[in-house]
Coordinates of all heavy atoms in Angstrom, one line a residue:
W165 N 7.8 60.4 0.3 CA 6.9 61.4 0.8 C 7.5 62.8 0.4 O 6.7 63.5 -0.2 CB 6.9 61.5 2.4 CG 6.2 62.8 2.8 CD1 4.8 63.0 2.8 CD2 6.8 64.0 3.3 NE1 4.5 64.3 3.3 CE2 5.8 64.9 3.6 CE3 8.1 64.3 3.5 CZ2 6.1 66.2 4.0 CZ3 8.4 65.6 4.0 CH2 7.4 66.5 4.4
L166 N 8.7 63.1 0.5 CA 9.2 64.4 0.0 C 9.1 64.6 -1.4 O 8.7 65.7 -1.9 CB 10.7 64.5 0.4 CG 11.4 65.8 0.0 CD1 10.8 66.9 0.7 CD2 12.9 65.7 0.5
V167 N 9.4 63.5 -2.2 CA 9.3 63.7 -3.7 C 8.0 63.9 -4.2 O 7.7 64.7 -5.0 CB 10.1 62.4 -4.4 CG1 9.9 62.4 -5.9 CG2 11.5 62.4 -4.1
T168 N 7.0 63.1 -3.7 CA 5.6 63.2 -4.1 C 5.0 64.5 -3.6 O 4.1 65.0 -4.1 CB 4.8 62.0 -3.7 OG1 4.9 61.8 -2.2 CG2 5.3 60.8 -4.3
A169 N 5.4 65.0 -2.4 CA 5.0 66.3 -1.9 C 5.3 67.4 -2.9 O 4.4 68.3 -3.3 CB 5.5 66.6 -0.6
V170 N 6.5 67.3 -3.4 CA 6.9 68.4 -4.4 C 6.3 68.1 -5.7 O 5.8 69.1 -6.3 CB 8.6 68.2 -4.6 CG1 9.0 69.0 -5.9 CG2 9.3 68.6 -3.4
A171 N 6.0 66.9 -6.1 CA 5.3 66.6 -7.3 C 3.9 67.1 -7.2 O 3.3 67.6 -8.1 CB 5.2 65.1 -7.6
G172 N 3.3 67.0 -5.9 CA 1.9 67.4 -5.9 C 1.8 68.9 -5.9 O 0.9 69.5 -6.6
F173 N 2.8 69.6 -5.3 CA 2.8 71.1 -5.5 C 3.0 71.5 -6.9 O 2.5 72.5 -7.3 CB 3.8 71.7 -4.5 CG 3.4 71.7 -3.1 CD1 4.3 71.3 -2.1 CD2 2.1 72.1 -2.7 CE1 4.0 71.3 -0.7 CE2 1.8 72.1 -1.4 CZ 2.7 71.7 -0.4
A174 N 3.9 70.7 -7.6 CA 4.1 71.1 -9.1 C 2.8 70.9 -9.8 O 2.4 71.8 -10.7 CB 5.2 70.2 -9.6
A175 N 2.0 69.9 -9.5 CA 0.7 69.7 -10.1 C -0.2 70.9 -9.8 O -0.9 71.4 -10.6 CB 0.1 68.5 -9.7
S176 N -0.1 71.3 -8.5 CA -0.9 72.5 -8.1 C -0.6 73.7 -8.9 O -1.6 74.5 -9.3 CB -0.7 72.7 -6.6 OG -1.4 73.9 -6.2
L177 N 0.6 74.0 -9.2 CA 1.0 75.2 -9.9 C 0.5 75.2 -11.4 O 0.1 76.3 -11.9 CB 2.5 75.2 -10.0 CG 3.3 75.5 -8.7 CD1 4.8 75.3 -8.8 CD2 3.0 77.0 -8.3
F178 N 0.3 74.0 -11.9 CA -0.2 73.9 -13.3 C -1.6 73.7 -13.4 O -2.3 74.1 -14.4 CB 0.6 72.8 -14.1 CG 2.0 73.1 -14.4 CD1 3.0 72.6 -13.6 CD2 2.3 73.9 -15.5 CE1 4.4 73.0 -13.9 CE2 3.6 74.3 -15.7 CZ 4.7 73.8 -15.0
F179 N -2.3 73.0 -12.4 CA -3.6 72.6 -12.6 C -4.7 73.2 -11.5 O -5.8 72.8 -11.5 CB -3.8 71.1 -12.6 CG -2.9 70.4 -13.6 CD1 -1.8 69.7 -13.3 CD2 -3.3 70.4 -15.0 CE1 -1.0 69.2 -14.3 CE2 -2.6 69.8 -15.9 CZ -1.4 69.2 -15.6
S180 N -4.1 74.1 -10.7 CA -5.0 74.7 -9.6 C -4.9 76.2 -9.8 O -3.7 76.7 -10.1 CB -4.6 74.1 -8.3 OG -5.3 74.8 -7.3

Side-chain angles (χ1 to χ4, degrees):
W165 169 77
L166 179 59
V167 172
T168 55
V170 171
F173 283 137
S176 173
L177 289 168
F178 287 99
F179 301 107
S180 172

